[in-house]
Amino acid sequence: MEAADAFYTEWRRHRPGERRNVERAGLLADALGARVPGVPVLTVVGSKGKGTAATYASAYLAANGRRVVTVTSPALRGDAERIRVDGVAISEEELGELGRRLRDASGALPAANEGYLSPSGLFTLAGLLHARAVGSDIVVLEAGMGGVSDDVSLFTPAVVAITEVFGEHLGVLGDTAAAIAADKAGVATAATSAVVSLPQSPSVTAAIAATVAARTGGGVEVIAPGASGVPDRLLPSGLGRMNAELGCVAARRLLGATGRPDVSGDRLTRVLSSVTLPGRCSWHPVPGTGTMVLIDSAIDRTGAAAALTEAYRHWSQVDHVVVCLPDHKDVPGVVAELAGLPVTYVRMPDHRNLRFTRPVPAGWSVVDTTELSRERLASLGTRIVVLGTVYFTGWVLDLIGAETERLFEA
């Protein structure tokens, strides 16, 4: 077995309906001596935009001269990208060594009666191990799905950042958006010095406030546009802007909590201006062709509309849209937004946890990823918009050989 397979061993054999076992992950963290990171942790939770917030928080902290390990989920082109040092993905060799450590330690754990060690949780733990190995000053963690129910809850956060929360994963994290918000906000503890959040719906706002008050005794800082003080030219356009601002504010709160001065001036400008966000309204050529693709991990109508707006800022027309949305995403909303455009709907049969059973318009082409080659993508036109779950946008980034190893220059 390849060492990197250790991240997926228990997940691959889990039974339908079986859930991750966070308690077992805690035992593994204890066995590896990683339960207490030894450096401040900034944790990002939410339903959408966590990767952008985590990236900008990491870049802001790196601009302050901090050595930052960032753990995100899922990967773009390869699993080594889930763990980054100052914006750069670790090597396959480093990932393999981390996998060997996890494999050996997990093999010594008592057999589990139920639940499994989740891949996202194991990558989180691996990130903490790597942070210690490289002498990291700060760790930034992106939650896999929830908050208190996620493996990130094993590691006490100094600061928590909450992106927009909505009714995704209903019935898994909770039966309402408010219940989901309570789960995500529950990652905060009495040792958390600040919780910063984007504006939320009234029910979600109330749930977050009540949860944070109960767990920390404090309140929630809700940020408005411009709250970061970062010039617009250093922030992404579209829906990603507020998530980027959230990340910058969270980083600033962490610097304050650890007694570090804020960062500004030329170094901040240099680092933030170098940030790239592959798969988030990012532009890429299809090698060997005249085709350009705009790739965005939009999963609802609002996101699809924002991506099309960005496309029309550069193009007079869109030749084709390629979209991949499993059943738990806003398929009807995206269908409505793409009305009148030529569309190819893509299914991912290799992802057994994703279902593609919802009806799509009769005029749409339907293919599996096994049928979508670089040449077929280019044959759809020269101005292509690619939308969908991050698993798919990452797959397309890999298909066209996009640069994803470095997210910013520290």
Side-chain angles (χ1 to χ4, degrees):
M1 180 181 72
E2 292 290 335
D5 286 345
F7 295 98
Y8 297 96
T9 300
E10 293 198 8
W11 174 80
R12 283 178 176 144
R13 63 182 184 227
H14 81 273
R15 299 180 297 273
E18 192 175 18
R19 297 191 179 187
R20 69 176 68 201
N21 189 327
V22 177
E23 181 180 358
R24 182 172 168 80
L27 293 176
L28 180 58
D30 289 335
L32 289 164
R35 189 66 171 265
V36 179
V39 296
V41 173
L42 189 163
T43 300
V44 183
V45 299
S47 299
K48 180 68 174 172
K50 298 188 297 292
T52 298
T55 298
Y56 272 83
S58 300
Y60 197 100
L61 292 164
N64 184 266
R66 303 286 80 194
R67 188 165 176 80
V68 184
V69 165
T70 309
V71 184
T72 56
S73 179
L76 295 171
R77 295 185 58 187
D79 282 333
E81 297 171 346
R82 291 176 181 251
I83 304 170
R84 298 176 183 269
V85 181
D86 291 339
V88 180
I90 65 173
S91 68
E92 292 294 337
E93 292 74 21
E94 289 170 319
L95 182 68
E97 176 56 30
L98 290 167
R100 280 187 284 275
R101 293 185 65 185
L102 292 171
R103 179 191 61 197
D104 294 345
S106 62
L109 292 178
N113 293 323
E114 61 180 24
Y116 59 92
L117 293 172
S118 72
S120 64
L122 291 172
F123 282 109
T124 297
L125 179 52
L128 269 296
L129 293 174
H130 193 69
R132 180 187 299 162
V134 301
S136 173
D137 299 307
I138 291 170
V139 174
V140 176
L141 299 179
E142 176 190 348
M145 183 186 298
V148 71
S149 64
D150 191 273
D151 301 78
V152 294
S153 64
L154 297 171
F155 310 102
T156 301
V159 173
V160 174
I162 306 177
T163 67
E164 183 185 3
V165 178
F166 47 83
E168 189 178 30
H169 303 299
L170 287 169
V172 178
L173 297 178
D175 294 331
T176 65
I180 291 171
D183 182 283
K184 292 179 184 291
V187 74
T189 75
T192 301
S193 62
V195 178
V196 293
S197 173
L198 291 184
Q200 310 282 352
S201 69
S203 64
V204 167
T205 297
I208 290 174
T211 302
V212 170
R215 295 184 66 83
T216 73
V220 179
E221 178 185 358
V222 179
I223 70 164
S228 68
V230 174
D232 287 351
R233 70 181 187 280
L234 300 179
L235 297 169
S237 61
L239 297 179
R241 174 160 297 185
M242 283 302 296
N243 294 310
E245 288 214 69
L246 176 70
C248 292
V249 172
R252 184 179 295 158
R253 298 295 173 264
L254 184 58
L255 291 173
T258 54
R260 294 283 300 189
D262 197 4
V263 59
S264 59
D266 292 344
R267 176 155 185 168
L268 180 64
T269 297
R270 178 178 62 79
V271 175
L272 292 189
S273 64
S274 72
V275 174
T276 61
L277 296 169
R280 300 174 180 92
C281 274
S282 58
W283 297 85
H284 308 272
V286 178
T289 75
T291 295
M292 181 68 71
V293 292
L294 169 64
I295 303 179
D296 189 67
S297 302
I299 57 172
D300 58 17
R301 184 170 189 172
T302 301
L308 289 176
T309 297
E310 177 67 11
Y312 288 126
R313 287 181 59 235
H314 298 265
W315 296 331
S316 60
Q317 71 177 56
V318 171
D319 294 332
H320 208 92
V321 179
V322 179
V323 62
C324 174
L325 290 174
D327 291 351
H328 66 283
K329 305 300 184 183
D330 181 21
V331 178
V334 174
V335 167
E337 191 61 36
L338 300 182
L341 291 169
V343 178
T344 294
Y345 181 76
V346 184
R347 301 169 301 202
M348 304 189 77
D350 291 339
H351 282 262
R352 73 173 195 172
N353 57 326
L354 301 181
R355 295 178 58 81
F356 298 89
T357 63
R358 289 204 184 191
V360 296
W364 287 16
S365 299
V366 179
V367 301
D368 290 342
T369 46
T370 53
E371 304 171 74
L372 187 62
S373 63
R374 184 182 291 183
E375 293 72 24
R376 183 162 183 177
L377 182 64
S379 74
L380 299 175
T382 59
R383 294 160 291 196
I384 308 297
V385 174
V386 174
L387 304 174
T389 177
V390 69
Y391 293 105
F392 177 65
T393 56
W395 184 89
V396 176
L397 288 166
D398 190 50
L399 179 70
I400 63 176
E403 169 57 45
T404 58
E405 183 175 345
R406 181 184 294 273
L407 296 185
F408 58 84
E409 298 277 351

